């Protein structure tokens, strides 16, 4: 506890010391109301564009950040009562075709020639929105949080067009004021523009950004200066109904054909220009893309990110609290084993300094498992302090309704309630070089059985060459977060890290240098239980390919029985010690080629004096811009003494994306997972017949590999329509 107080005091002092005026305050772009109608056609021929100011003379971010960009980019912005307009002329510096993966929405940034807009309509240097497109016209949109992270799962209603010429490509867009949130009345927004040109391997930005940071860093935005405050979006209500029909059959258990017919509705109501209310009744997420499977050789639960649209806007207020392995709230716990009946979310900015989030979800009961209906309530509050730092609080409550405890079971499948309260301080200096966090969590459960405590803190410094960080965590044995993601309890953890990069004057190598890290765990009695340490050397080439090698030391004193094959075999005993040295290599090829590849290898010791050999490959080929092929494979060979012997696990995941237009998509994803003895086929057809309105056909099969028999099969047809009132 004392260490957390010391860290908190240090953070507050550091934030005060590093608070400063906006770094790129001198970069200003005036925006005026359009003097003529603007047609979104990718042609710069309207009078409004002739009169608009031009943002040009971009600065190079990579490979170097000390000069102007070689690739010329010109940006103009305007607006009317309904839309914010943008037109970008992306000039070519090198002859040849553009480079893209496909027309798939929310493309991979590093594998596409693209232009992106980053805007901070709150002028808090922390939250905002991103819009853009690749050179073939595929759209990109996301909500920004933590000063530079972009959640691409967030989708909204806007229109764009890309037109290609011999010497340039032009991107033009109209973003409705109803589709974004912004502070009413202010006449200056944070703004920056990012351009990636793969032929020259150059990433550039209008307002300069140091190369150690992403171009999305809101700490380095310039200023968009409005001639008048942005128009009031007016009554901003969106109704999004859906209807679906489907059939499914469980062949493995000789079940009968089951028919589905459902309707539901979502609503988005803007209470103010920066505060939004989301409502849902009988939601369905059958169109959400399936998770990519992984081979699990770990002792703890795996994490899979949230993909459901309802939970995403301002999702960082709820899901961003804590650390990646200490989350008091994880929305995928809701609706995991029971249908969601209805829900409501209030989220957004109250003013420049305060953000608020409140959520309530209700699930139905499940007769098959005797799971009662449950209510989930989450409340979050965030107050900005200093330049870009904030203090946050969270309350999470899971309550079982019509509670009838199972007195016959030592481990009932549900509890009467579980609650968490937490407080955290997030540090982000004005120049983004200092970041960190300090937090406290307390859980509450019936009869004090799940009353537990968490405290943790970290501090990171990232300059041009040197990066170092320190993190420590404490999670008590009784801490419980039934609506969270906390795979491990009852430990102390310390984790120092240091890395250094040289940037030589070389035609081949952009940067190279070592990293070193040590992660130590102790149980609550002070016994050393884990040590994961590594030293690595990393090389980034000017072609944008990457090579890294790692030498790793692992030590584990088991705190619970564990099967090292995770296959239900005999378990290693509690208290047994296991030591291992291993060598790992990672390589990712340059993204400019139509054929891309990457691989990771691992060879060395494993539990019980065994050995583990791992090979992971990622292969891709594109027939741009319409077809993208990918093949992901993981092979693990585990060699252990008896009774385990030798175990082989193969995971293969071929995928095909066909993008006939930027509104018509087909995806087929096959996964063969030897560890769980399953073949999964998931195909999804999507027609975006209007902005944010879709028709989906989703077909799913699961097979037993040997013999190749169907386990279960389903097909769903779903219709959604985004209706603005």
């Amino acid at each position: 506890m004392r260490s957390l107080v010391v860290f908190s005091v240090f953070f507050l002092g550091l934030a005060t010391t590093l608070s400063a005026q906006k770094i790129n305050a001198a970069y200003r772009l005036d925006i005026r109301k359009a003097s003529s109608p603007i047609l979104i056609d990718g042609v710069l021929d309207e009078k409004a564009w002739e009169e608009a100011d031009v943002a040009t003379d971009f600065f190079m971010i990579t490979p170097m950040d000390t000069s102007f960009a070689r690739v010329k980019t010109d940006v103009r912005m305007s607006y009317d009562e309904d839309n914010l307009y943008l037109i970008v002329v992306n000039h070519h510096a090198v002859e040849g075709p553009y480079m893209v993966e496909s027309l798939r929405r929310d493309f991979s940034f590093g594998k596409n020639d693209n232009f992106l807009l980053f805007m901070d309509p709150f002028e808090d240097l922390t939250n905002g929105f991103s819009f853009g497109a690749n050179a073939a016209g595929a759209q990109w949109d996301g909500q920004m949080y933590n000063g530079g992270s972009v959640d691409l799962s967030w989708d909204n209603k806007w229109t764009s067009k890309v037109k290609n010429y011999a010497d340039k490509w032009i991107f033009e867009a109209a973003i409705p004021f109803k589709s974004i949130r912004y502070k009413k009345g202010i006449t200056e927004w944070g703004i920056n523009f990012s351009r990636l040109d793969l032929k020259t391997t150059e990433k550039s930005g209008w307002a300069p950004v140091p190369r150690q940071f992403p171009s999305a860093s809101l700490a380095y935005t310039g200023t968009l200066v409005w001639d008048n405050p942005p128009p009031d979006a007016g009554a901003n209500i969106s109704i999004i109904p859906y209807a679906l029909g489907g059939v499914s059959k469980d062949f493995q258990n000789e079940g009968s054909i089951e028919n589905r017919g459902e309707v539901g509705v979502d609503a988005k109501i803007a209470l103010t220009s920066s505060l939004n209310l989301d409502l849902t009744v009988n939601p369905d997420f059958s169109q959400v893309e399936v998770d990519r499977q992984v081979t699990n050789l770990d002792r703890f639960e795996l994490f899979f990110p949230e993909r459901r649209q309802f939970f995403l806007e301002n999702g960082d207020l709820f899901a961003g609290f804590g650390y990646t392995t200490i989350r008091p709230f994880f929305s995928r716990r809701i609706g995991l084993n029971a249908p969601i009946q209805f829900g409501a979310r209030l989220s957004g900015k109250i003013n420049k300094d305060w953000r608020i989030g409140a959520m309530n979800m209700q699930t139905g009961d499940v007769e098959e498992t005797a799971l009662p209906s449950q209510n989930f309530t989450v409340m979050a509050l965030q107050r900005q302090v200093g330049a870009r730092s904030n203090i946050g609080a969270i309350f999470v409550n899971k309550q079982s309704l019509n509670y009838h405890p199972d007195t016959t079971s030592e481990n009932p499948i549900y509890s009467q309630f579980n609650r968490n309260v937490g407080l955290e301080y997030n540090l982000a200096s004005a120049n983004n070089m200092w970041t960190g966090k300090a937090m406290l969590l307390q859980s509450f459960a019936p009869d004090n059985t799940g009353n537990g405590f968490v405290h943790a803190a970290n501090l990171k410094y990232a300059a041009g060459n040197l990066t170092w960080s320190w993190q420590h965590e404490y999670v008590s044995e009784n801490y419980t977060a039934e609506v969270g993601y906390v795979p491990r309890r009852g430990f102390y953890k310390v984790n120092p890290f240091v890395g250094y990069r040289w940037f030589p004057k070389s035609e081949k190598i952009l940067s190279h240098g070592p990293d070193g890290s040590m992660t130590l765990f102790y149980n609550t009695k002070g016994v050393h239980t884990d040590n994961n340490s590594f030293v690595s050397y990393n090389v980034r080439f000017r072609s944008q390919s990457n090579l890294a090698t790692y030498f790793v030391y692992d030590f584990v004193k088991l705190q619970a029985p564990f099967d090292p094959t995770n296959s239900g075999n005999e378990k290693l005993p509690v208290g047994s010690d296991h030591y291992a040295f291993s060598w790992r290599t990672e390589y990712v090829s340059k993204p400019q080629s139509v054929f891309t590849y990457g691989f990771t290898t691992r060879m060395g010791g494993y539990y019980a004096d065994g050995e583990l050999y791992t090979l992971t490959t990622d292969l891709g080929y594109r027939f741009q811009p319409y077809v993208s092929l990918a093949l992901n494979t993981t092979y693990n060979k585990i060699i252990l003494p008896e009774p385990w012997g030798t175990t082989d696990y193969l995971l293969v995941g071929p995928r095909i994306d066909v993008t006939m237009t930027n509104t018509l998509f087909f995806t087929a994803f096959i996964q063969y997972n030897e560890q769980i003895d399953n073949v999964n086929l998931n195909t999804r057809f999507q027609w975006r017949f209007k902005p944010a309105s879709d028709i989906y056909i989703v077909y799913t099969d699961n097979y037993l590999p040997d013999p190749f028999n169907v386990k279960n099969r389903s097909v769903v047809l779903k219709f959604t329509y985004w209706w603005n009132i």
Side-chain angles (χ1 to χ4, degrees), residues 80 208 321 393 435 481 536 542 549:
D80 60 20
F321 197 100
T435 56
S536 68
R542 286 189 176 268
T549 60

Side-chain angles (χ1 to χ4, degrees), residues 321-374:
F321 197 100
Y323 291 104
T324 54
T325 56
I326 306 178
R327 297 287 190 208
F329 176 72
F330 178 39
S331 57
R332 285 188 64 145
R333 302 290 188 205
I334 302 176
L336 181 65
N337 299 310
I340 297 175
Q341 294 178 329
F342 56 84
R345 294 173 75 248
L346 174 69
S347 64
K349 301 271 289 189
I350 300 176
N351 54 40
K352 181 179 179 180
D353 293 327
W354 288 94
R355 295 177 75 204
I356 188 172
M359 179 190 306
N360 186 268
M361 304 293 290
Q362 179 69 44
T363 63
D365 56 8
V366 181
E367 293 183 4
E368 293 83 355
T369 59
L371 182 67
S373 59
Q374 295 178 320

Side-chain angles (χ1 to χ4, degrees), residues 59-65 69-71 93-94 97 99 109-114 195-204 211 506-510 540-546 589-593:
F59 282 84
M60 192 184 301
I61 301 174
T62 61
M64 304 299 291
D65 60 0
R70 292 187 299 146
V71 181
V94 177
M99 297 180 182
F109 172 81
K111 296 181 179 180
N112 293 263
D113 286 339
N114 66 71
R195 169 89 183 274
L196 178 63
D197 183 78
L198 290 175
K199 291 192 293 293
T200 60
T201 70
E202 182 180 276
K203 181 173 72 170
S204 57
R211 61 190 168 198
S506 167
E507 295 182 358
K508 299 283 188 183
I509 297 176
L510 173 61
R540 183 172 179 83
F541 298 92
R542 286 189 176 268
S543 66
Q544 303 302 307
S545 57
N546 291 273
S589 70
K590 62 182 183 180
Q592 302 93 314
S593 301

Side-chain angles (χ1 to χ4, degrees), residues 164-463:
N164 280 270
Y165 302 83
D167 60 342
K168 60 184 175 290
W169 60 278
I170 295 181
F171 164 54
E172 190 171 20
I175 304 167
F177 288 110
K178 291 178 182 291
S179 294
I180 58 176
R181 313 286 173 250
Y182 50 94
K183 184 180 179 183
K184 186 176 180 180
I186 65 171
T187 57
E188 293 189 353
W189 289 10
I191 200 89
N192 207 356
F193 312 111
S194 169
R195 169 89 183 274
L196 178 63
D197 183 78
L198 290 175
K199 291 192 293 293
T200 60
T201 70
E202 182 180 276
K203 181 173 72 170
S204 57
W206 170 58
V209 179
R211 61 190 168 198
Q212 70 266 31
F213 302 126
S215 54
S217 296
L218 295 180
Y220 290 90
T221 53
T223 304
L224 183 68
V225 183
W226 297 77
D227 58 348
N228 288 294
D232 190 339
N236 189 352
I237 301 174
S238 299
I239 306 297
I240 313 167
Y242 84 85
L244 71 80
V247 295
S248 63
K249 183 174 181 178
D250 185 348
F251 290 86
Q252 196 169 27
N253 296 314
E254 300 182 352
S256 60
I257 294 177
E258 295 186 7
N259 296 308
R260 290 182 65 189
E262 298 176 16
V263 295
V265 63
D266 290 340
K268 300 175 77 68
I269 304 169
L271 302 181
T272 70
S273 61
S274 57
L275 188 64
N276 195 67
L277 175 64
D278 289 275
L279 304 172
T280 187
V281 177
N282 194 30
D284 172 83
F285 307 106
S286 58
Q287 84 284 358
V288 175
E289 189 170 307
V290 297
D291 294 313
R292 179 177 170 179
Q293 296 181 19
V294 296
T295 303
N296 183 14
L297 297 178
D298 197 74
R299 292 171 288 153
F300 306 106
E301 178 189 20
L302 298 178
F303 178 87
F304 293 96
E306 177 62 86
R307 299 175 183 270
R308 297 172 294 180
Q309 185 72 18
F310 178 81
F311 294 98
L312 298 178
E313 184 165 354
N314 293 304
D316 65 292
L317 273 168
F318 307 99
F321 197 100
Y323 291 104
T324 54
T325 56
I326 306 178
R327 297 287 190 208
F329 176 72
F330 178 39
S331 57
R332 285 188 64 145
R333 302 290 188 205
I334 302 176
L336 181 65
N337 299 310
I340 297 175
Q341 294 178 329
F342 56 84
R345 294 173 75 248
L346 174 69
S347 64
K349 301 271 289 189
I350 300 176
N351 54 40
K352 181 179 179 180
D353 293 327
W354 288 94
R355 295 177 75 204
I356 188 172
M359 179 190 306
N360 186 268
M361 304 293 290
Q362 179 69 44
T363 63
D365 56 8
V366 181
E367 293 183 4
E368 293 83 355
T369 59
L371 182 67
S373 59
Q374 295 178 320
N375 185 267
F376 301 83
T377 300
V378 190
M379 301 186 68
L381 189 65
Q382 194 177 89
R383 172 67 158 85
Q384 184 161 329
V385 295
R388 299 172 57 242
S389 305
N390 62 70
I391 296 174
I394 195 169
F395 169 74
V396 183
N397 182 60
K398 174 186 176 182
Q399 190 84 33
S400 294
L401 307 182
N402 300 318
Y403 177 70
H404 301 290
D406 183 359
T407 58
T408 64
S409 173
E410 295 182 1
N411 299 297
I413 62 172
Y414 61 90
S415 62
Q416 182 180 6
F417 68 84
N418 177 247
R419 298 177 184 129
N420 268 249
V421 294
L423 184 69
E424 73 175 15
Y425 171 71
N426 292 285
L427 167 71
S429 66
N431 60 9
N432 211 42
M433 291 187 181
W434 291 91
T435 56
K437 175 178 290 196
M439 75 165 183
L440 299 166
L441 283 169
Q442 176 69 47
S443 67
F444 302 91
D447 302 322
N448 299 326
T449 55
N451 291 9
F453 179 71
V454 171
H455 76 77
N458 81 291
L459 182 65
K460 180 180 179 181
Y461 174 77

Side-chain angles (χ1 to χ4, degrees), residues 7 12 69 72 74 249 302 313 391 400 502 547 560 569 655 662-663 679 714:
F7 264 68
L12 289 167
K72 181 176 173 57
D74 299 321
K249 183 174 181 178
L302 298 178
E313 184 165 354
I391 296 174
S400 294
W502 289 278
L547 174 67
N569 209 326
R655 176 190 179 109
N662 61 2
T663 60
V679 176
S714 68

Side-chain angles (χ1 to χ4, degrees), residues 604-621:
Y606 194 57
Y607 292 91
D609 296 323
E611 296 177 5
L612 171 62
Y613 299 90
T614 300
L615 173 63
T616 300
T617 63
D618 292 285
L619 308 177
Y621 193 87

